[in-house]
Amino acid sequence: MEGIKDISLIFCICSVVFGVVLVLVPAGRYEKSIKTVVGLLMLAIIFSIAGNNFNFDFEFSVNPDTELATENSLSELSERQVLDLTENVLKQQISQLLDSKGIKDYKIKITMDNSGTNGISISKAEIYLKNADKSVSELIYQNFGIKCEILQQSNSKVQ
């Protein structure tokens, strides 16, 4: 309530002062310009006072049953997104390397973890090939520093 009283008081004082200014300005070519300037000054004063007196911090409640209700679940969600993005980028880079070496018909499976204090760690990397070639493991290790297991690809799909 105090903020509303302050705004009302300032509005009344400004109205009187600007009213006197408008009465003193002679009618003619400057009258419209002065009215515009006085109006803009009045709005600027009101908005500056309103901005200082009102707190626009709104609180809202979240249903605790939702998945995103706690900070921990948000943190877990963002960590999962980082892991997924990192996994997809690594798969894409390995795919580009295998394609450049003429290796076709492969499936890449990477298992990552970020539970340690050292960031993201690759706990398991597997490449499924129709013709298992162990030199691919050395190629991946030389280019990415990842030890991976090369497995014979069966007809089943690996994701």
Side-chain angles (χ1 to χ4, degrees):
M1 282 302 281
E2 197 66 33
I4 293 174
K5 286 180 184 178
D6 290 343
I7 290 174
S8 299
L9 178 65
I10 300 269
F11 182 75
C12 290
I13 292 171
C14 288
S15 295
V16 170
V17 170
F18 292 145
V20 170
V21 169
L22 289 175
V23 168
L24 294 176
V25 172
R29 63 181 192 184
Y30 295 114
E31 183 176 14
K32 189 173 183 180
S33 300
I34 296 295
K35 283 184 179 181
T36 303
V37 170
V38 166
L40 291 175
L41 286 174
M42 185 78 136
L43 285 174
I45 290 170
I46 290 172
F47 285 132
S48 68
I49 292 169
N52 291 334
N53 286 336
F54 290 115
N55 186 3
F56 292 106
D57 293 335
F58 296 107
E59 293 183 22
F60 61 94
S61 61
V62 176
N63 185 355
D65 295 333
T66 62
E67 181 181 346
L68 300 176
T70 64
E71 186 177 318
N72 289 338
S73 65
L74 284 173
S75 176
E76 290 170 9
L77 178 64
S78 65
E79 287 174 5
R80 186 70 234 158
Q81 288 174 338
V82 167
L83 283 176
D84 289 343
L85 179 64
T86 305
E87 180 181 343
N88 289 335
V89 168
L90 185 57
K91 281 182 179 180
Q92 183 181 21
Q93 289 177 346
I94 291 173
S95 294
Q96 289 174 351
L97 177 67
L98 294 176
D99 289 343
S100 72
K101 297 297 180 182
I103 300 171
K104 303 289 181 202
D105 297 325
Y106 55 85
K107 301 287 183 207
I108 302 169
K109 183 178 179 185
I110 299 174
T111 307
M112 298 182 141
D113 183 22
N114 67 342
S115 61
T117 58
N118 296 332
I120 298 173
S121 63
I122 300 171
S123 54
K124 191 175 189 182
E126 299 172 339
I127 298 179
Y128 295 85
L129 299 170
K130 285 198 179 209
N131 298 323
D133 185 4
K134 299 298 180 187
S135 66
V136 173
S137 178
E138 184 63 30
L139 180 67
I140 300 297
Y141 184 73
Q142 288 174 352
N143 285 278
F144 300 104
I146 300 170
K147 292 182 181 178
C148 66
E149 190 175 348
I150 306 299
L151 302 170
Q152 184 75 31
Q153 184 178 11
S154 64
N155 291 336
S156 63
K157 258 190 161 181
V158 177
Q159 298 198 15

